[in-house]
Amino acid sequence: MEGAVQLGLAGKTALVCASTSGLGRATARALAEEGVTVVVTGRSGDRAKEVAGELPNAIGVGCDLVADGGAEQLLTAAREAVGDLDILVLNGPGPAPGPARAIDTAGIEQAIATLVTPQQILVQGVLPAMLDKGWGRILSISSTSVQAPLPNLSLSNLGRAALAGYLKTLAAEVAAQGVTVNSLLPGRIATPRARQVDEATARRTGQSLSEAEAASKAAIPAGRYGEPDEFGAVAAFLCSTRAAYITGTAVRCDGGLVPTL
């Protein structure tokens, strides 16, 4: 198409964590449609292979990332499937909700073990090959809580902020070697997770599901939830050759929801 933006991703390889549903799946699809060979991952190997089979060029690998040795096992499986990785997309669920006043040492350790340790292992595992090639993309699918902490998600806020700080520091260290490191912060995207949140709100408030959804959408300047494909498109751009001068930043995809600059 004349005037089309060429992302320059054909022939690249990517590992997209937690990509059998939701935002991870949307990101995996967007990359695969740009010609990337994608490793799709999830706890269920059968489900990962099923999702991979729906994409143009993908391989499904089952792995529990937060289990002991899970990150190392995933790296090994990904390399066996596609070779060295050009793109790493970090993604995964956070700890259970709860107030900050109730945090204890065990909770902090859980937050770090879920949202920081396996991600750091993956980053350190892919970084040498990226630096050798002079090209790489590391993208974290995070949360708007990095910029505006969310009520009753104290452990998630803590862990995601820690990961964001690590990635921001890393970005400055590797920028001159052609590796970018960014975070993508979703607002309310129309995924199964968003529906679960609305269902929980409806039960807690006595509203109908449609009333809970309407109230949530009313708080978003765009007046609607984002579509997964819209999020995936932003993720693919941040992983592209066109985004080579974007690094060390957190990009919101939230329809204007977060009221900060």
Side-chain angles (χ1 to χ4, degrees):
M1 182 185 298
E2 185 178 353
V5 175
Q6 302 298 320
L7 296 187
L9 288 173
K12 301 293 188 185
T13 59
L15 168 60
V16 182
C17 299
S19 47
T20 57
S21 66
L23 302 179
R25 183 176 181 179
T27 299
R29 178 176 296 280
L31 290 172
E33 289 176 348
E34 290 293 332
V36 178
T37 301
V38 178
V39 178
V40 173
T41 71
R43 287 189 177 92
S44 168
D46 289 342
R47 177 61 178 159
K49 292 174 183 176
E50 178 184 349
V51 172
E54 300 170 356
L55 303 181
N57 194 16
I59 297 94
V61 173
C63 181
D64 184 353
L65 187 58
V66 300
D68 288 343
E72 292 89 346
Q73 292 171 15
L74 180 55
L75 279 172
T76 298
R79 288 196 186 102
E80 289 176 350
V82 301
D84 287 333
L85 293 160
D86 300 304
I87 299 166
L88 171 64
V89 180
L90 303 170
N91 184 37
R101 65 179 181 272
I103 286 180
D104 57 17
T105 301
I108 294 173
E109 291 174 349
Q110 178 201 13
I112 298 301
T114 301
L115 292 172
V116 181
T117 303
Q119 289 79 3
Q120 187 271 342
I121 292 171
L122 291 176
V123 168
Q124 293 300 317
V126 303
L127 199 55
M130 291 180 176
L131 294 173
D132 285 346
K133 287 185 286 188
W135 199 99
R137 300 289 183 264
I138 297 171
L139 180 66
S140 171
I141 298 178
S142 185
S143 166
T144 56
S145 66
V146 169
Q147 296 180 337
L150 297 169
N152 204 46
L153 289 177
S154 55
L155 289 175
S156 178
N157 293 338
L158 183 155
R160 294 189 190 282
L163 178 61
Y166 161 68
L167 295 176
K168 173 64 175 176
T169 307
L170 177 67
E173 296 173 0
V174 300
Q177 286 75 47
V179 178
T180 69
V181 185
N182 293 294
S183 296
L184 182 53
L185 316 183
R188 298 302 300 276
I189 311 295
T191 62
R193 173 59 179 165
R195 184 176 180 85
Q196 291 172 1
V197 171
D198 287 333
E199 288 172 345
T201 299
R203 288 193 298 269
R204 187 178 69 252
T205 62
Q207 295 174 301
S208 67
L209 177 58
S210 61
E211 288 172 335
E213 289 176 344
S216 181
K217 291 175 182 177
I220 303 170
R224 64 178 178 86
Y225 291 168
E227 293 297 326
D229 287 349
E230 293 175 313
F231 181 91
V234 179
F237 173 74
L238 290 173
C239 293
S240 74
T241 58
R242 293 292 189 175
Y245 205 57
I246 302 174
T247 194
T249 192
V251 176
R252 292 199 302 263
C253 183
D254 69 346
L257 175 63
V258 177
T260 60
L261 292 175

